[in-house]
Amino acid sequence: MKVFTVFGTRPEAIKMCPLVLKLKENKDIDCVVCLTGQHKEMLAQVMEAFGVKEDYNLEIMKDRQTLTTITTSILEKIESVLKQEKPDIVLVHGDTTTSYAAALAAFYQQIPVGHVEAGLRTGDIYSPFPEEMNRLLTDRISTYYYAPTKMNADNLLREGISDNVFVTGNTVIDAFQYTVKDGYVFSDESLRTMDFDNSRVITITAHRRENLGQPLRNICSAIKRLALEYKDVRFVYPVHLNPAVRDTVFAVLSDIDNVKLINPIDVLDMHNLLARSCMIMTDSGGLQEEAPHFGKPVLVLRTETERPEAVEAGTVKVVGVDEDVIFREAKLLLEDENRYNLMAKAVNPYGDGHASERIVEAIINI
Ligand code: UD1
Ligand code: UDP
């Protein structure tokens, strides 16, 4: 059976590489890896960390790319590859424009699509943008659904999708087997020299399209206030390579002693940084799944989430993008030990680290 996997951004790669490794272990499966190259350096970091080599890279990334160019470049470039490979199934992941465009391209060739991380929803097509629409459309096109949680499967059921839905857990938990190590030594110089034993470290990431502009300025201003008030706390912010993100972040947060603005770190550094941080402030989807595993409170810098499982468990709190609210919520966690301990629970609603095996089994059983 020929299984054609397509992915193109950092988070997709982090969650697809563990699955690719399991697909490649199975002698009944011929696994092809096609990167769209929606990301470049940030994707290469992940491929290297997992030791996965691609068969194709469509190399579509452009500086400050638009949703239209991402979509059209993938559609144009992947067609000949699909025609040549003639796979039995195309696997896409999550909610990026790579996922949607690749699913659409497979549909045009009448190849069934399997959607890894199917069924996540916020219910608002403009938030996150364009991810909520990407996952709705990808689920509409797909034939096979690998839903991380029962809640995700229920979302699909509400849309009338009940056949070929498998609740598998999230492959991000599988990824920890490859990344989290005792006595880990960081590759990033500023992390290697950071005194995690004697100072509290807050890890920050923010990049979402709907946060670009004023919301991201608000987030950065709140962090600046926190850093000036809590001089003993270290703020580590690996800044996404999107120039629209970097312009804002460096304008507000450069030259503050206890704020470290660093380049994107590889996934090994990131997972081991999570394990050593006291809390996480982020608009990322993946970090909302990862940080609870380590028992680290997460303040979500968005107005909604498609990942309510850890919110219900109490480890993740959605705080929005208002400067005062972000400042207040972080301050509460830094000062109120009881409140911190209530959130700092190891919670893992996302599976037992065997999601990839379940997906492989479901594919073999087709
Ligand atoms: C994309 C996904 C988003 C996902 C995010 C993960 C879409 C529409 N967006 O958003 O769902 O959460 O990836 O990070 O699918 N860049 C580089 N090098 C890189 C990567 C990006 O220079 O390795 C720069 C380029 O200038 C690029 C820009 O970042 O044009 C934006 O990249 P893009 O993939 O369009 O948007 P993301 O915000 O990364
Ligand atoms: N991540 C990483 N290096 C970084 C920042 C994030 O490896 O410098 C990882 C993080 O651990 C998570 C994933 O990238 O697994 C999240 O990616 P991102 O925030 O880009 O996308 P999202 O999750 O929002 O789709």
Side-chain angles (χ1 to χ4, degrees):
M1 189 175 192
K2 188 178 275 189
V3 180
F4 187 93
T5 60
V6 193
F7 46 99
T9 66
R10 171 174 64 191
E12 291 168 84
I14 291 170
K15 292 167 166 184
M16 284 297 267
C17 281
L19 174 58
V20 165
L21 292 171
K22 289 290 171 210
L23 287 165
K24 284 183 182 289
E25 270 176 21
N26 191 299
K27 60 178 175 21
D28 296 324
I29 290 176
D30 174 12
C31 172
V32 180
V33 176
C34 176
L35 304 180
T36 62
Q38 178 177 336
H39 283 176
K40 196 173 172 182
E41 302 86 345
M42 287 162 52
L43 183 62
Q45 277 181 320
V46 185
M47 301 302 282
E48 198 185 324
F50 283 95
V52 172
K53 293 250 176 309
E54 71 271 23
D55 300 291
Y56 298 93
N57 188 339
L58 309 179
E59 294 184 326
I60 62 139
M61 197 194 88
K62 293 195 175 65
D63 200 31
R64 295 180 196 256
Q65 60 205 0
T66 66
L67 300 177
T68 304
T69 61
I70 302 170
T71 312
T72 53
S73 314
I74 293 172
L75 281 174
E76 279 171 9
K77 291 192 166 182
I78 207 169
E79 183 176 348
S80 58
V81 181
L82 287 173
K83 280 188 166 149
Q84 186 182 317
E85 288 288 341
K86 297 188 180 41
D88 297 295
I89 181 171
V90 168
L91 293 185
V92 300
H93 180 280
D95 56 18
T96 67
T97 296
T98 281
S99 327
Y100 165 56
L104 185 60
F107 170 71
Y108 287 162
Q109 302 300 315
Q110 300 191 25
I111 304 164
V113 173
H115 189 192
V116 182
E117 202 175 272
L120 279 68
R121 297 288 185 269
T122 62
D124 177 353
I125 58 167
Y126 290 106
S127 188
F129 176 84
E131 289 81 5
E132 179 74 359
M133 185 55 85
N134 283 342
R135 54 193 169 220
L136 274 163
L137 295 171
T138 304
D139 279 334
R140 201 72 203 89
I141 292 169
S142 296
T143 303
Y144 303 102
Y145 303 88
Y146 310 108
T149 69
K150 166 97 174 32
M151 273 190 193
N152 304 145
D154 289 344
N155 288 337
L156 293 170
L157 198 57
R158 266 193 292 280
E159 291 167 18
I161 300 172
S162 58
D163 288 346
N164 298 316
V165 177
F166 306 89
V167 177
T168 58
N170 197 309
T171 55
V172 78
I173 307 295
D174 305 14
F176 295 140
Q177 291 160 31
Y178 304 93
T179 58
V180 181
K181 295 166 190 170
D182 287 340
Y184 180 77
V185 179
F186 287 100
S187 313
D188 183 274
E189 166 81 28
S190 47
L191 295 178
R192 207 165 43 237
T193 51
M194 189 159 284
D195 185 359
F196 289 94
D197 293 330
N198 295 305
S199 47
R200 289 183 291 178
V201 173
I202 298 183
T203 299
I204 300 156
T205 79
H207 70 84
R208 305 219 77 81
R209 266 185 164 74
E210 71 272 16
N211 274 348
L212 297 180
Q214 194 55 46
L216 187 58
R217 267 192 292 281
N218 297 347
I219 291 168
C220 292
S221 302
I223 291 158
K224 183 172 183 175
R225 277 168 65 188
L226 288 163
L228 295 178
E229 183 153 337
Y230 297 95
K231 296 234 186 293
D232 56 323
V233 176
R234 305 271 159 260
F235 296 79
V236 179
Y237 188 161
V239 190
H240 192 293
L241 293 180
N242 187 349
V245 173
R246 295 177 84 83
D247 290 352
T248 304
V249 173
F250 282 91
V252 183
L253 289 173
S254 290
D255 303 322
I256 304 174
D257 281 351
N258 52 338
V259 177
K260 281 258 172 272
L261 301 180
I262 57 179
N263 280 327
I265 50 182
D266 69 35
V267 62
L268 304 168
D269 270 9
M270 190 64 192
H271 286 176
N272 289 283
L273 173 61
L274 292 180
R276 288 160 182 73
S277 299
C278 84
M279 67 191 234
I280 319 297
M281 299 172 69
T282 189
D283 68 2
S284 154
L287 281 163
Q288 292 176 56
E289 296 155 342
E290 294 167 344
H293 168 88
F294 297 103
K296 309 298 177 173
V298 182
L299 297 181
V300 177
L301 310 170
R302 290 164 54 177
T303 48
E304 42 49 42
T305 182
E306 58 292 277
R307 293 167 169 92
E309 295 87 354
V311 177
E312 279 186 11
T315 309
V316 170
K317 184 162 187 192
V318 179
V319 298
V321 289
D322 179 272
E323 178 187 327
D324 290 335
V325 178
I326 297 170
F327 176 76
R328 195 174 63 230
E329 291 287 342
K331 189 177 164 73
L332 280 170
L333 276 177
L334 285 169
E335 288 187 359
D336 184 341
E337 208 179 318
N338 287 336
R339 195 183 176 100
Y340 179 86
N341 289 336
L342 273 177
M343 279 185 85
K345 290 178 294 206
V347 165
N348 173 13
Y350 298 109
D352 57 2
H354 297 284
S356 302
E357 282 105 305
R358 288 192 194 93
I359 296 169
V360 173
E361 197 189 322
I363 290 171
I364 286 291
N365 286 337
I366 289 173

